[in-house]
Structure formats: structure tokens, C-alpha cells
Amino acid sequence: QSVLTQPPSASGTPGQRVTISCSGSSSNIGSNYVYWYQQLPGTAPKLLIYRNNQRPSGVPDRFSGSKSGTSASLAISGLRSEDEADYYCAAWDDSLSVHVFGTGTKVTVL
Amino acid sequence: EVQLVESGGVVVQPGGSLRLSCAASGFTFDDYTMHWVRQAPGKGLEWVSLISWDGGSTYYADSVKGRFTISRDNSKNSLYLQMNSLRTEDTALYYCAKEGYGIEFDYWGQGTLVTVSS
């Protein structure tokens, strides 16, 4: 039930800035907070951003989130090799009464 | 330290049943809503179900509604997922996740693998 759309892939060289978009609708992103999760290869997902732009303790400030209307984005600045992972956005959907995840974006560090 | 440990994943035939468990520790279990999230092999994350702190409210993804039942036993700090009428498309790694102060999943278990195959 992926109603949030993300680009399948993104890439950059070390030190560059990478941005991942997440497109939804008025019933999810448009009316609720957006969350971002990082999933390193072979591991469980980890909370990266909550309430659109807040970082849990321990998450580097290289990661930042924003939201505008029915879209959101995650930016990774100063890209590092350990940032190679899959990234998912998520939100509650008021119409469906379910949590919805984005389709996921694989970030590659060239 | 918050810990979530899932168990119960096995190989089961289509149409079969299975119960997953999640043992929680390191936090006051009955203060928090809990979730199940799954990930099919090589695929993205799919939210499955949630249960409120007291078990009074439950929600399900359309893909599992009527077949799966989420429950919890606060006296045992445990979360469960009863899975009936299993289909091949239910094959996935099932994660137990704790909800934070908002509706974020702030802690995840390592997952338990369910394979539905004849």
C-alpha cells in the first residue's frame, strides 16, 4: 500500500549533497507529519527524522527534513560512504486510516 | 536499553496459520502503542498493524484485514500477531516496532522471517 512516491535511486560523491523527494496527497503528507527511516544493508530500519524535520539524538545534523504541501524531502549533506542505504518516508493517512511508507530510495556513494 | 525480540517465523503452507511474538524490554511497555511492519524479500517496507497501549484500538492494512489479528499482553511485555489464511504474498521479514511520542517508529526489532510456500 505504497501511496508515497520516492525516486528509486539517488547518488553522489563523498562530500556532496543529495536530496530525496517524497510525494503524497492531502490525506497523508498534506495533513500529517512526515517521518524518514534509514535502512542499512541487512539491518532493521532506523528512525532518522520525525515530525517533518526533527532529528533523534545521535542522528548527525548532516541529515535534514522538510515538508511543503503534499511533498517532503530528505537532504543529506557532506555525503559519506556509511550513508549508503535505503531511505523511506512515512506518514499516517487519514483517509485510509493506515500508516503508509514511501516506495524507498537507494542512495549510492560513488 | 530498549530491546524488541521477535520470534515465531517459520515456513508454512498456503492457507496455514502462524503466531508471531515480540518480547519487549527496557521501557514501560503498557505506555506505548506497538506496530508490526513487514518487508518482502528485496522489497520495501509495508505497515501491517497497530495496537494501542491498552489493546482497545487496533488498525490493519487492507492486505491483511480479516486474516491477521494483533494483540498484546502487558503483564508479559509481549506483542503478538496471529496470522491466518496465509498467502504466498505474506512471505516477508516481520518487524515489531515501538511507537514514540508522536507516531514515529522509534525502535525496531531485528525481525522474524515468515515464508509461505508449498
Side-chain angles (χ1 to χ4, degrees):
Chain A
Q1 223 164 352
S2 285
V3 298
L4 304 182
T5 302
Q6 300 178 232
S9 63
S11 63
T13 56
Q16 276 191 328
R17 176 184 171 93
V18 167
T19 301
I20 300 167
S21 62
C22 174
S23 178
S25 68
S26 59
S27 63
N28 42 64
I29 293 178
S31 51
N32 293 298
Y33 289 121
V34 177
Y35 304 86
W36 289 91
Y37 299 90
Q38 177 194 57
Q39 187 175 31
L40 297 169
T43 70
K46 167 191 165 185
L47 179 64
L48 203 60
I49 297 287
Y50 67 100
R51 294 188 183 181
N52 301 335
N53 55 19
Q54 301 299 303
R55 284 185 308 278
S57 61
V59 173
D61 60 5
R62 303 185 294 104
F63 295 93
S64 61
S66 63
K67 176 184 132 174
S68 178
T70 59
S71 293
S73 61
L74 174 72
I76 310 172
S77 59
L79 194 64
R80 304 177 67 159
S81 58
E82 57 260 40
D83 298 333
E84 273 208 348
D86 293 323
Y87 293 83
Y88 296 91
C89 58
W92 178 260
D93 190 292
D94 290 333
S95 295
L96 301 173
S97 293
V98 299
H99 277 275
V100 289
F101 282 100
T103 48
T105 299
K106 183 176 183 60
V107 169
T108 301
V109 181
L110 302 170
Chain B
E1 178 195 5
V2 172
Q3 283 199 322
L4 299 169
V5 179
E6 303 93 337
S7 61
V10 291
V11 179
V12 61
Q13 291 190 336
S17 296
L18 198 57
R19 189 174 89 150
L20 304 183
S21 300
C22 171
S25 60
F27 65 102
T28 306
F29 182 71
D30 55 12
D31 276 352
Y32 294 94
T33 293
M34 298 293 295
H35 299 255
W36 288 99
V37 177
R38 69 184 180 182
Q39 187 169 34
K43 302 297 184 182
L45 300 172
E46 180 187 15
W47 176 80
V48 173
S49 182
L50 75 82
I51 186 166
S52 60
W53 64 276
D54 62 350
S57 294
T58 58
Y59 291 85
Y60 298 91
D62 283 349
S63 57
V64 307
K65 199 173 294 184
R67 300 188 298 122
F68 290 10
T69 302
I70 191 172
S71 62
R72 63 192 297 163
D73 185 338
N74 287 343
S75 69
K76 296 182 178 179
N77 288 351
S78 292
L79 175 72
Y80 306 102
L81 187 67
Q82 178 66 42
M83 309 164 69
N84 298 332
S85 303
L86 282 161
R87 305 167 180 168
T88 55
E89 55 264 37
D90 295 319
T91 293
L93 188 62
Y94 284 74
Y95 293 104
C96 159
K98 170 187 169 292
E99 188 172 290
Y101 293 108
I103 59 168
E104 70 276 13
F105 309 133
D106 59 355
Y107 289 94
W108 300 64
Q110 288 306 300
T112 187
L113 182 62
V114 173
T115 303
V116 184
S117 173
S118 54

PDB file of all heavy atoms in Angstrom, chain A residues 33-65:
ATOM      1  N   TYR A  33       2.350  14.699   9.974  1.00  0.00           N
ATOM      2  CA  TYR A  33       3.809  14.750   9.991  1.00  0.00           C
ATOM      3  C   TYR A  33       4.410  13.692   9.071  1.00  0.00           C
ATOM      4  O   TYR A  33       3.798  12.653   8.800  1.00  0.00           O
ATOM      5  CB  TYR A  33       4.328  14.498  11.405  1.00  0.00           C
ATOM      6  CG  TYR A  33       4.084  15.620  12.374  1.00  0.00           C
ATOM      7  CD1 TYR A  33       3.349  15.403  13.540  1.00  0.00           C
ATOM      8  CD2 TYR A  33       4.611  16.887  12.152  1.00  0.00           C
ATOM      9  CE1 TYR A  33       3.145  16.432  14.456  1.00  0.00           C
ATOM     10  CE2 TYR A  33       4.408  17.916  13.064  1.00  0.00           C
ATOM     11  CZ  TYR A  33       3.676  17.678  14.202  1.00  0.00           C
ATOM     12  OH  TYR A  33       3.474  18.685  15.099  1.00  0.00           O
ATOM     13  N   VAL A  34       5.623  13.972   8.622  1.00  0.00           N
ATOM     14  CA  VAL A  34       6.382  13.034   7.794  1.00  0.00           C
ATOM     15  C   VAL A  34       7.565  12.517   8.609  1.00  0.00           C
ATOM     16  O   VAL A  34       8.174  13.257   9.385  1.00  0.00           O
ATOM     17  CB  VAL A  34       6.895  13.714   6.513  1.00  0.00           C
ATOM     18  CG1 VAL A  34       7.754  12.745   5.695  1.00  0.00           C
ATOM     19  CG2 VAL A  34       5.713  14.209   5.680  1.00  0.00           C
ATOM     20  N   TYR A  35       7.860  11.257   8.423  1.00  0.00           N
ATOM     21  CA  TYR A  35       8.964  10.592   9.115  1.00  0.00           C
ATOM     22  C   TYR A  35       9.886   9.980   8.063  1.00  0.00           C
ATOM     23  O   TYR A  35       9.434   9.598   6.969  1.00  0.00           O
ATOM     24  CB  TYR A  35       8.431   9.503  10.048  1.00  0.00           C
ATOM     25  CG  TYR A  35       7.432  10.056  11.036  1.00  0.00           C
ATOM     26  CD1 TYR A  35       6.081  10.165  10.712  1.00  0.00           C
ATOM     27  CD2 TYR A  35       7.853  10.520  12.271  1.00  0.00           C
ATOM     28  CE1 TYR A  35       5.176  10.724  11.603  1.00  0.00           C
ATOM     29  CE2 TYR A  35       6.953  11.068  13.171  1.00  0.00           C
ATOM     30  CZ  TYR A  35       5.625  11.171  12.827  1.00  0.00           C
ATOM     31  OH  TYR A  35       4.732  11.729  13.715  1.00  0.00           O
ATOM     32  N   TRP A  36      11.165   9.879   8.391  1.00  0.00           N
ATOM     33  CA  TRP A  36      12.142   9.274   7.499  1.00  0.00           C
ATOM     34  C   TRP A  36      12.911   8.182   8.241  1.00  0.00           C
ATOM     35  O   TRP A  36      13.286   8.347   9.411  1.00  0.00           O
ATOM     36  CB  TRP A  36      13.123  10.320   6.988  1.00  0.00           C
ATOM     37  CG  TRP A  36      12.520  11.296   6.010  1.00  0.00           C
ATOM     38  CD1 TRP A  36      11.930  12.486   6.297  1.00  0.00           C
ATOM     39  CD2 TRP A  36      12.444  11.141   4.590  1.00  0.00           C
ATOM     40  NE1 TRP A  36      11.489  13.087   5.137  1.00  0.00           N
ATOM     41  CE2 TRP A  36      11.791  12.280   4.081  1.00  0.00           C
ATOM     42  CE3 TRP A  36      12.872  10.147   3.691  1.00  0.00           C
ATOM     43  CZ2 TRP A  36      11.561  12.474   2.708  1.00  0.00           C
ATOM     44  CZ3 TRP A  36      12.636  10.327   2.340  1.00  0.00           C
ATOM     45  CH2 TRP A  36      12.002  11.483   1.851  1.00  0.00           C
ATOM     46  N   TYR A  37      13.138   7.078   7.531  1.00  0.00           N
ATOM     47  CA  TYR A  37      13.865   5.943   8.101  1.00  0.00           C
ATOM     48  C   TYR A  37      15.018   5.580   7.188  1.00  0.00           C
ATOM     49  O   TYR A  37      14.905   5.643   5.964  1.00  0.00           O
ATOM     50  CB  TYR A  37      12.933   4.735   8.262  1.00  0.00           C
ATOM     51  CG  TYR A  37      11.781   5.025   9.192  1.00  0.00           C
ATOM     52  CD1 TYR A  37      10.583   5.545   8.715  1.00  0.00           C
ATOM     53  CD2 TYR A  37      11.914   4.833  10.571  1.00  0.00           C
ATOM     54  CE1 TYR A  37       9.543   5.855   9.572  1.00  0.00           C
ATOM     55  CE2 TYR A  37      10.878   5.144  11.435  1.00  0.00           C
ATOM     56  CZ  TYR A  37       9.692   5.658  10.935  1.00  0.00           C
ATOM     57  OH  TYR A  37       8.678   5.973  11.787  1.00  0.00           O
ATOM     58  N   GLN A  38      16.124   5.176   7.815  1.00  0.00           N
ATOM     59  CA  GLN A  38      17.310   4.709   7.100  1.00  0.00           C
ATOM     60  C   GLN A  38      17.451   3.214   7.346  1.00  0.00           C
ATOM     61  O   GLN A  38      17.372   2.763   8.495  1.00  0.00           O
ATOM     62  CB  GLN A  38      18.550   5.433   7.621  1.00  0.00           C
ATOM     63  CG  GLN A  38      19.862   4.984   7.001  1.00  0.00           C
ATOM     64  CD  GLN A  38      21.061   5.493   7.791  1.00  0.00           C
ATOM     65  OE1 GLN A  38      21.196   5.234   8.983  1.00  0.00           O
ATOM     66  NE2 GLN A  38      21.933   6.229   7.115  1.00  0.00           N
ATOM     67  N   GLN A  39      17.641   2.455   6.265  1.00  0.00           N
ATOM     68  CA  GLN A  39      17.864   1.016   6.422  1.00  0.00           C
ATOM     69  C   GLN A  39      19.201   0.651   5.787  1.00  0.00           C
ATOM     70  O   GLN A  39      19.321   0.596   4.560  1.00  0.00           O
ATOM     71  CB  GLN A  39      16.723   0.203   5.804  1.00  0.00           C
ATOM     72  CG  GLN A  39      16.842  -1.280   6.109  1.00  0.00           C
ATOM     73  CD  GLN A  39      15.654  -2.081   5.616  1.00  0.00           C
ATOM     74  OE1 GLN A  39      15.022  -1.754   4.625  1.00  0.00           O
ATOM     75  NE2 GLN A  39      15.333  -3.149   6.343  1.00  0.00           N
ATOM     76  N   LEU A  40      20.191   0.425   6.624  1.00  0.00           N
ATOM     77  CA  LEU A  40      21.488  -0.029   6.130  1.00  0.00           C
ATOM     78  C   LEU A  40      21.367  -1.477   5.672  1.00  0.00           C
ATOM     79  O   LEU A  40      20.487  -2.204   6.146  1.00  0.00           O
ATOM     80  CB  LEU A  40      22.533   0.095   7.239  1.00  0.00           C
ATOM     81  CG  LEU A  40      22.815   1.522   7.726  1.00  0.00           C
ATOM     82  CD1 LEU A  40      23.648   1.494   8.990  1.00  0.00           C
ATOM     83  CD2 LEU A  40      23.483   2.348   6.649  1.00  0.00           C
ATOM     84  N   PRO A  41      22.218  -1.921   4.761  1.00  0.00           N
ATOM     85  CA  PRO A  41      22.109  -3.293   4.225  1.00  0.00           C
ATOM     86  C   PRO A  41      22.085  -4.353   5.316  1.00  0.00           C
ATOM     87  O   PRO A  41      22.939  -4.365   6.206  1.00  0.00           O
ATOM     88  CB  PRO A  41      23.365  -3.409   3.360  1.00  0.00           C
ATOM     89  CG  PRO A  41      23.675  -2.020   2.943  1.00  0.00           C
ATOM     90  CD  PRO A  41      23.299  -1.156   4.117  1.00  0.00           C
ATOM     91  N   GLY A  42      21.087  -5.221   5.263  1.00  0.00           N
ATOM     92  CA  GLY A  42      20.991  -6.334   6.189  1.00  0.00           C
ATOM     93  C   GLY A  42      20.583  -5.984   7.598  1.00  0.00           C
ATOM     94  O   GLY A  42      20.690  -6.826   8.503  1.00  0.00           O
ATOM     95  N   THR A  43      20.101  -4.780   7.817  1.00  0.00           N
ATOM     96  CA  THR A  43      19.719  -4.374   9.178  1.00  0.00           C
ATOM     97  C   THR A  43      18.275  -3.877   9.215  1.00  0.00           C
ATOM     98  O   THR A  43      17.657  -3.638   8.179  1.00  0.00           O
ATOM     99  CB  THR A  43      20.634  -3.262   9.715  1.00  0.00           C
ATOM    100  OG1 THR A  43      20.376  -2.051   9.005  1.00  0.00           O
ATOM    101  CG2 THR A  43      22.100  -3.641   9.582  1.00  0.00           C
ATOM    102  N   ALA A  44      17.756  -3.710  10.432  1.00  0.00           N
ATOM    103  CA  ALA A  44      16.416  -3.160  10.613  1.00  0.00           C
ATOM    104  C   ALA A  44      16.433  -1.662  10.331  1.00  0.00           C
ATOM    105  O   ALA A  44      17.466  -0.997  10.470  1.00  0.00           O
ATOM    106  CB  ALA A  44      15.940  -3.421  12.037  1.00  0.00           C
ATOM    107  N   PRO A  45      15.297  -1.113   9.938  1.00  0.00           N
ATOM    108  CA  PRO A  45      15.226   0.343   9.738  1.00  0.00           C
ATOM    109  C   PRO A  45      15.518   1.093  11.024  1.00  0.00           C
ATOM    110  O   PRO A  45      15.333   0.588  12.131  1.00  0.00           O
ATOM    111  CB  PRO A  45      13.778   0.562   9.284  1.00  0.00           C
ATOM    112  CG  PRO A  45      13.339  -0.758   8.739  1.00  0.00           C
ATOM    113  CD  PRO A  45      14.029  -1.773   9.595  1.00  0.00           C
ATOM    114  N   LYS A  46      15.955   2.345  10.853  1.00  0.00           N
ATOM    115  CA  LYS A  46      16.274   3.209  11.981  1.00  0.00           C
ATOM    116  C   LYS A  46      15.615   4.560  11.745  1.00  0.00           C
ATOM    117  O   LYS A  46      15.633   5.082  10.623  1.00  0.00           O
ATOM    118  CB  LYS A  46      17.791   3.384  12.084  1.00  0.00           C
ATOM    119  CG  LYS A  46      18.270   4.478  13.007  1.00  0.00           C
ATOM    120  CD  LYS A  46      19.751   4.726  12.810  1.00  0.00           C
ATOM    121  CE  LYS A  46      20.203   6.036  13.421  1.00  0.00           C
ATOM    122  NZ  LYS A  46      21.616   6.353  13.131  1.00  0.00           N
ATOM    123  N   LEU A  47      15.003   5.125  12.790  1.00  0.00           N
ATOM    124  CA  LEU A  47      14.376   6.445  12.678  1.00  0.00           C
ATOM    125  C   LEU A  47      15.435   7.506  12.444  1.00  0.00           C
ATOM    126  O   LEU A  47      16.375   7.636  13.225  1.00  0.00           O
ATOM    127  CB  LEU A  47      13.586   6.752  13.951  1.00  0.00           C
ATOM    128  CG  LEU A  47      12.885   8.110  14.012  1.00  0.00           C
ATOM    129  CD1 LEU A  47      11.792   8.214  12.946  1.00  0.00           C
ATOM    130  CD2 LEU A  47      12.298   8.339  15.407  1.00  0.00           C
ATOM    131  N   LEU A  48      15.237   8.301  11.392  1.00  0.00           N
ATOM    132  CA  LEU A  48      16.203   9.331  11.013  1.00  0.00           C
ATOM    133  C   LEU A  48      15.657  10.733  11.264  1.00  0.00           C
ATOM    134  O   LEU A  48      16.369  11.620  11.739  1.00  0.00           O
ATOM    135  CB  LEU A  48      16.528   9.164   9.531  1.00  0.00           C
ATOM    136  CG  LEU A  48      17.819   9.714   8.981  1.00  0.00           C
ATOM    137  CD1 LEU A  48      19.028   9.085   9.669  1.00  0.00           C
ATOM    138  CD2 LEU A  48      17.882   9.473   7.469  1.00  0.00           C
ATOM    139  N   ILE A  49      14.385  10.946  10.899  1.00  0.00           N
ATOM    140  CA  ILE A  49      13.734  12.246  11.050  1.00  0.00           C
ATOM    141  C   ILE A  49      12.305  12.005  11.539  1.00  0.00           C
ATOM    142  O   ILE A  49      11.624  11.110  11.020  1.00  0.00           O
ATOM    143  CB  ILE A  49      13.665  13.024   9.721  1.00  0.00           C
ATOM    144  CG1 ILE A  49      15.065  13.352   9.198  1.00  0.00           C
ATOM    145  CG2 ILE A  49      12.807  14.287   9.852  1.00  0.00           C
ATOM    146  CD1 ILE A  49      15.783  14.449   9.968  1.00  0.00           C
ATOM    147  N   TYR A  50      11.846  12.776  12.516  1.00  0.00           N
ATOM    148  CA  TYR A  50      10.461  12.698  12.947  1.00  0.00           C
ATOM    149  C   TYR A  50       9.838  14.087  12.922  1.00  0.00           C
ATOM    150  O   TYR A  50      10.550  15.100  12.961  1.00  0.00           O
ATOM    151  CB  TYR A  50      10.342  12.039  14.324  1.00  0.00           C
ATOM    152  CG  TYR A  50      10.938  12.832  15.476  1.00  0.00           C
ATOM    153  CD1 TYR A  50      10.148  13.594  16.311  1.00  0.00           C
ATOM    154  CD2 TYR A  50      12.317  12.775  15.744  1.00  0.00           C
ATOM    155  CE1 TYR A  50      10.679  14.295  17.363  1.00  0.00           C
ATOM    156  CE2 TYR A  50      12.862  13.479  16.799  1.00  0.00           C
ATOM    157  CZ  TYR A  50      12.039  14.238  17.611  1.00  0.00           C
ATOM    158  OH  TYR A  50      12.577  14.938  18.660  1.00  0.00           O
ATOM    159  N   ARG A  51       8.521  14.126  12.838  1.00  0.00           N
ATOM    160  CA  ARG A  51       7.773  15.384  12.793  1.00  0.00           C
ATOM    161  C   ARG A  51       8.357  16.347  11.764  1.00  0.00           C
ATOM    162  O   ARG A  51       8.663  17.500  12.072  1.00  0.00           O
ATOM    163  CB  ARG A  51       7.709  16.021  14.169  1.00  0.00           C
ATOM    164  CG  ARG A  51       6.893  15.191  15.146  1.00  0.00           C
ATOM    165  CD  ARG A  51       6.654  15.883  16.464  1.00  0.00           C
ATOM    166  NE  ARG A  51       5.928  15.006  17.363  1.00  0.00           N
ATOM    167  CZ  ARG A  51       5.550  15.315  18.595  1.00  0.00           C
ATOM    168  NH1 ARG A  51       5.829  16.505  19.077  1.00  0.00           N
ATOM    169  NH2 ARG A  51       4.909  14.460  19.342  1.00  0.00           N
ATOM    170  N   ASN A  52       8.535  15.845  10.557  1.00  0.00           N
ATOM    171  CA  ASN A  52       8.980  16.604   9.376  1.00  0.00           C
ATOM    172  C   ASN A  52      10.469  16.940   9.375  1.00  0.00           C
ATOM    173  O   ASN A  52      11.129  16.818   8.335  1.00  0.00           O
ATOM    174  CB  ASN A  52       8.208  17.917   9.229  1.00  0.00           C
ATOM    175  CG  ASN A  52       6.723  17.739   9.094  1.00  0.00           C
ATOM    176  OD1 ASN A  52       6.251  16.681   8.648  1.00  0.00           O
ATOM    177  ND2 ASN A  52       5.979  18.753   9.477  1.00  0.00           N
ATOM    178  N   ASN A  53      10.992  17.435  10.499  1.00  0.00           N
ATOM    179  CA  ASN A  53      12.345  17.987  10.456  1.00  0.00           C
ATOM    180  C   ASN A  53      13.129  17.827  11.758  1.00  0.00           C
ATOM    181  O   ASN A  53      14.172  18.474  11.935  1.00  0.00           O
ATOM    182  CB  ASN A  53      12.289  19.470  10.094  1.00  0.00           C
ATOM    183  CG  ASN A  53      11.388  20.266  11.028  1.00  0.00           C
ATOM    184  OD1 ASN A  53      11.079  19.827  12.133  1.00  0.00           O
ATOM    185  ND2 ASN A  53      10.948  21.416  10.578  1.00  0.00           N
ATOM    186  N   GLN A  54      12.667  16.957  12.636  1.00  0.00           N
ATOM    187  CA  GLN A  54      13.359  16.782  13.923  1.00  0.00           C
ATOM    188  C   GLN A  54      14.254  15.543  13.876  1.00  0.00           C
ATOM    189  O   GLN A  54      13.867  14.497  13.361  1.00  0.00           O
ATOM    190  CB  GLN A  54      12.336  16.624  15.046  1.00  0.00           C
ATOM    191  CG  GLN A  54      11.392  17.807  15.174  1.00  0.00           C
ATOM    192  CD  GLN A  54      12.135  19.084  15.488  1.00  0.00           C
ATOM    193  OE1 GLN A  54      12.854  19.193  16.473  1.00  0.00           O
ATOM    194  NE2 GLN A  54      11.970  20.089  14.621  1.00  0.00           N
ATOM    195  N   ARG A  55      15.447  15.693  14.419  1.00  0.00           N
ATOM    196  CA  ARG A  55      16.389  14.570  14.467  1.00  0.00           C
ATOM    197  C   ARG A  55      16.443  13.951  15.859  1.00  0.00           C
ATOM    198  O   ARG A  55      16.614  14.669  16.848  1.00  0.00           O
ATOM    199  CB  ARG A  55      17.810  15.037  14.108  1.00  0.00           C
ATOM    200  CG  ARG A  55      18.072  15.289  12.650  1.00  0.00           C
ATOM    201  CD  ARG A  55      19.547  15.618  12.429  1.00  0.00           C
ATOM    202  NE  ARG A  55      19.989  16.696  13.307  1.00  0.00           N
ATOM    203  CZ  ARG A  55      19.802  17.988  13.047  1.00  0.00           C
ATOM    204  NH1 ARG A  55      19.201  18.345  11.920  1.00  0.00           N
ATOM    205  NH2 ARG A  55      20.237  18.913  13.885  1.00  0.00           N
ATOM    206  N   PRO A  56      16.306  12.618  15.921  1.00  0.00           N
ATOM    207  CA  PRO A  56      16.514  11.953  17.228  1.00  0.00           C
ATOM    208  C   PRO A  56      17.960  12.158  17.675  1.00  0.00           C
ATOM    209  O   PRO A  56      18.852  12.411  16.852  1.00  0.00           O
ATOM    210  CB  PRO A  56      16.235  10.484  16.924  1.00  0.00           C
ATOM    211  CG  PRO A  56      15.461  10.485  15.647  1.00  0.00           C
ATOM    212  CD  PRO A  56      15.945  11.668  14.885  1.00  0.00           C
ATOM    213  N   SER A  57      18.183  12.032  18.972  1.00  0.00           N
ATOM    214  CA  SER A  57      19.551  12.163  19.457  1.00  0.00           C
ATOM    215  C   SER A  57      20.428  11.093  18.811  1.00  0.00           C
ATOM    216  O   SER A  57      20.007   9.946  18.645  1.00  0.00           O
ATOM    217  CB  SER A  57      19.600  12.037  20.978  1.00  0.00           C
ATOM    218  OG  SER A  57      19.128  10.777  21.376  1.00  0.00           O
ATOM    219  N   GLY A  58      21.616  11.514  18.417  1.00  0.00           N
ATOM    220  CA  GLY A  58      22.552  10.590  17.795  1.00  0.00           C
ATOM    221  C   GLY A  58      22.551  10.644  16.277  1.00  0.00           C
ATOM    222  O   GLY A  58      23.478  10.128  15.644  1.00  0.00           O
ATOM    223  N   VAL A  59      21.522  11.246  15.690  1.00  0.00           N
ATOM    224  CA  VAL A  59      21.499  11.384  14.226  1.00  0.00           C
ATOM    225  C   VAL A  59      22.275  12.649  13.846  1.00  0.00           C
ATOM    226  O   VAL A  59      21.971  13.738  14.347  1.00  0.00           O
ATOM    227  CB  VAL A  59      20.059  11.467  13.696  1.00  0.00           C
ATOM    228  CG1 VAL A  59      20.053  11.786  12.199  1.00  0.00           C
ATOM    229  CG2 VAL A  59      19.326  10.147  13.956  1.00  0.00           C
ATOM    230  N   PRO A  60      23.273  12.505  12.984  1.00  0.00           N
ATOM    231  CA  PRO A  60      24.101  13.681  12.632  1.00  0.00           C
ATOM    232  C   PRO A  60      23.274  14.792  11.980  1.00  0.00           C
ATOM    233  O   PRO A  60      22.280  14.520  11.290  1.00  0.00           O
ATOM    234  CB  PRO A  60      25.104  13.096  11.628  1.00  0.00           C
ATOM    235  CG  PRO A  60      25.093  11.628  11.850  1.00  0.00           C
ATOM    236  CD  PRO A  60      23.717  11.282  12.320  1.00  0.00           C
ATOM    237  N   ASP A  61      23.718  16.037  12.180  1.00  0.00           N
ATOM    238  CA  ASP A  61      22.979  17.165  11.593  1.00  0.00           C
ATOM    239  C   ASP A  61      23.210  17.281  10.087  1.00  0.00           C
ATOM    240  O   ASP A  61      22.705  18.209   9.450  1.00  0.00           O
ATOM    241  CB  ASP A  61      23.322  18.469  12.312  1.00  0.00           C
ATOM    242  CG  ASP A  61      24.796  18.809  12.243  1.00  0.00           C
ATOM    243  OD1 ASP A  61      25.552  18.086  11.549  1.00  0.00           O
ATOM    244  OD2 ASP A  61      25.209  19.783  12.901  1.00  0.00           O
ATOM    245  N   ARG A  62      23.938  16.334   9.525  1.00  0.00           N
ATOM    246  CA  ARG A  62      24.046  16.265   8.053  1.00  0.00           C
ATOM    247  C   ARG A  62      22.710  15.858   7.425  1.00  0.00           C
ATOM    248  O   ARG A  62      22.486  16.073   6.236  1.00  0.00           O
ATOM    249  CB  ARG A  62      25.110  15.235   7.643  1.00  0.00           C
ATOM    250  CG  ARG A  62      26.491  15.492   8.209  1.00  0.00           C
ATOM    251  CD  ARG A  62      27.516  14.510   7.676  1.00  0.00           C
ATOM    252  NE  ARG A  62      27.302  13.128   8.078  1.00  0.00           N
ATOM    253  CZ  ARG A  62      26.818  12.192   7.285  1.00  0.00           C
ATOM    254  NH1 ARG A  62      26.473  12.480   6.032  1.00  0.00           N
ATOM    255  NH2 ARG A  62      26.682  10.958   7.724  1.00  0.00           N
ATOM    256  N   PHE A  63      21.857  15.261   8.231  1.00  0.00           N
ATOM    257  CA  PHE A  63      20.542  14.834   7.757  1.00  0.00           C
ATOM    258  C   PHE A  63      19.508  15.884   8.150  1.00  0.00           C
ATOM    259  O   PHE A  63      19.434  16.299   9.305  1.00  0.00           O
ATOM    260  CB  PHE A  63      20.153  13.484   8.374  1.00  0.00           C
ATOM    261  CG  PHE A  63      21.027  12.349   7.944  1.00  0.00           C
ATOM    262  CD1 PHE A  63      22.142  11.992   8.702  1.00  0.00           C
ATOM    263  CD2 PHE A  63      20.741  11.625   6.794  1.00  0.00           C
ATOM    264  CE1 PHE A  63      22.963  10.943   8.309  1.00  0.00           C
ATOM    265  CE2 PHE A  63      21.548  10.564   6.393  1.00  0.00           C
ATOM    266  CZ  PHE A  63      22.662  10.223   7.152  1.00  0.00           C
ATOM    267  N   SER A  64      18.708  16.302   7.167  1.00  0.00           N
ATOM    268  CA  SER A  64      17.665  17.285   7.457  1.00  0.00           C
ATOM    269  C   SER A  64      16.422  16.976   6.655  1.00  0.00           C
ATOM    270  O   SER A  64      16.499  16.437   5.550  1.00  0.00           O
ATOM    271  CB  SER A  64      18.157  18.699   7.147  1.00  0.00           C
ATOM    272  OG  SER A  64      18.481  18.827   5.781  1.00  0.00           O
ATOM    273  N   GLY A  65      15.263  17.278   7.224  1.00  0.00           N
ATOM    274  CA  GLY A  65      13.990  17.020   6.568  1.00  0.00           C
ATOM    275  C   GLY A  65      13.184  18.296   6.429  1.00  0.00           C
ATOM    276  O   GLY A  65      13.327  19.225   7.214  1.00  0.00           O
TER     277      GLY A  65
END
